[in-house]
């Protein structure tokens, strides 16, 4: 079935003309919210929010609401996002009675308390090579096909560091963690090109029914959970062309990988024993190996629909 799914549910962004998509959106009677989770992204968030705002908000009508969920930035992220036209919500101020975690998944989960859209489109704040067609591409299958619940973007992902410019070198956590985990635990999803894509869209009702990891596991967990609940036929993927962004140092990918593995373990019926894991890494310092420790938050938020009652 997966091969058939790939042929049937794989699209290109330019299959949807913005004007025709707007008509389809109005005919479907849906509201669209674009959500940009952000943490210390002053260098790029203004461009991301500003271009989406100028292209689709207001008179354009395709996007009804543009939100930036600021996870406690210490730079000018919030000010620049607001200046670009986004409505900024500070993560700790959204339902403070529920506490607050630091992480992308937490921003996505709490966005449901302030977003009003029937369809939520998530776009990362650190993009450097991208286009506003990311939004229309992700919306296309959801607005025109009621059987689609989740849309994942995919793209070329270059890796640049110093003189190194590898056009296919991005997505290290995808290649080393996500794809092997899916191959072993969810082989039906191995035809998804970018399982960790930060650009995805989902029907609000579906997201509200999902448990949400507070960290980097959210993108992968949503993919697996929608497939488990509705079948792979409810998922589509769209080729968005090319995407570049800032890259995490190699050691920082360790904590991300722990969260990805925890999300997959949980969905395989082997949830970690605690809501926190200690990642121990080593580095050489003056001829000796020194241990470094970091605590990794593995908390999963309950389905929004349960908390919102």
């Amino acid at each position: 079935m997966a091969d058939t799914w790939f042929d049937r549910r794989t699209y290109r962004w330019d299959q949807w003309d913005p004007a025709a998509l707007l008509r389809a959106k109005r005919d479907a009677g849906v509201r669209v919210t674009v959500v940009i989770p952000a943490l210390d992204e002053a260098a790029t968030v203004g461009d991301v929010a500003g271009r989406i705002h100028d292209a689709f908000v207001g008179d354009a009508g395709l996007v009804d609401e543009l939100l930036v969920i600021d996870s406690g930035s210490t730079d000018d992220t919030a000010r620049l996002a607001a200046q670009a036209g986004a409505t900024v919500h500070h993560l700790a101020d959204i339902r403070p009675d529920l506490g607050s975690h630091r992480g992308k998944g937490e921003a996505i989960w709490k966005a449901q308390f302030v977003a009003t859209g029937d369809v939520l489109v998530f776009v990362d704040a650190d993009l450097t090579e991208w286009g506003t067609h990311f939004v229309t591409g992700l919306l296309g299958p959801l607005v025109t096909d009621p059987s689609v619940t989740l849309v994942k973007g995919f793209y070329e992902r270059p890796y640049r560091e110093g003189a190194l410019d590898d056009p296919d070198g991005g997505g290290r956590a995808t290649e080393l963690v996500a794809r092997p985990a899916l191959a072993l635990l969810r082989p039906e999803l191995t035809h998804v090109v970018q399982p960790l894509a930060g650009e995805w869209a989902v029907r609000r009702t579906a997201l509200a029914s999902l448990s949400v990891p507070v960290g980097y596991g959210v993108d992968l967990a949503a993919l697996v959970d929608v497939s488990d609940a509705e079948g792979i036929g409810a998922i589509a993927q769209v080729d968005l062309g090319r995407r570049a962004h800032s890259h995490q140092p190699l050691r920082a990918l360790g904590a991300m990988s722990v969260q990805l593995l925890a999300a997959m373990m949980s969905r395989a019926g082997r949830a970690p024993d605690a809501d926190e894991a200690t990642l121990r890494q080593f580095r050489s310092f003056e001829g000796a190996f020194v241990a470094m420790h970091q605590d990794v938050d593995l908390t999963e938020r309950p389905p929004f629909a349960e908390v919102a009652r």
Side-chain angles (χ1 to χ4, degrees), residues 4 12 19 24 28 47 58-59 65 67 90 94 100 116 147 154 159 170 184 203 210 214-215 227-228 256 275:
T4 303
R12 271 186 51 87
D47 176 70
D59 293 340
E65 190 174 47
L67 306 181
H90 296 279
I94 302 173
S100 188
T116 63
S147 70
F154 69 93
Y159 180 81
L184 294 172
R203 298 194 189 278
L210 305 182
V214 299
S227 178
D228 285 352
M256 179 187 297
D275 288 336

Side-chain angles (χ1 to χ4, degrees), residues 36-48:
I36 305 172
L39 173 63
D40 291 332
E41 300 293 355
T44 52
V45 71
D47 176 70
V48 175

Side-chain angles (χ1 to χ4, degrees), residues 99-221:
S100 188
H101 295 261
R102 192 177 180 92
K104 179 181 179 181
E106 177 81 344
I108 287 174
W109 185 73
K110 279 200 167 182
Q112 296 175 91
F113 289 101
V114 293
T116 63
D118 306 295
V119 171
L120 304 181
V121 181
F122 299 105
V123 178
D124 282 348
D126 63 347
L127 302 181
T128 56
E129 291 182 33
W130 68 290
T132 55
H133 66 272
F134 279 25
V135 174
T136 51
L138 293 169
L139 282 175
L142 284 168
V143 170
T144 60
D145 186 344
S147 70
V148 174
T149 294
L150 173 73
V151 180
K152 294 286 283 187
F154 69 93
Y155 21 61
E156 296 178 7
R157 296 187 65 186
Y159 180 81
R160 298 191 182 95
E161 184 175 2
L164 176 64
D165 188 348
D166 183 349
D168 298 312
R172 292 165 293 167
T174 296
E175 300 302 332
L176 296 174
V177 182
R179 290 200 202 286
L182 290 175
L184 294 172
L185 300 172
R186 291 295 194 282
E188 71 277 9
L189 293 173
T190 57
H191 286 260
V192 177
V193 179
Q194 294 284 355
L196 300 187
E199 282 63 53
W200 51 284
V202 65
R203 298 194 189 278
R204 181 191 182 93
T205 52
L207 181 61
S209 70
L210 305 182
S211 174
V212 178
V214 299
Y216 286 108
V218 58
D219 303 321
L220 184 60

Side-chain angles (χ1 to χ4, degrees), residues 37-41 70-75 91-92 99-108 110 213-217 255 259 295-299 301:
L39 173 63
D40 291 332
E41 300 293 355
D70 183 6
S71 297
S73 297
T74 58
D75 62 10
L91 189 61
S100 188
H101 295 261
R102 192 177 180 92
K104 179 181 179 181
E106 177 81 344
I108 287 174
K110 279 200 167 182
V214 299
Y216 286 108
Q259 291 178 328
D295 294 327
V296 183
D297 194 347
L298 306 182
T299 303
R301 288 293 201 173

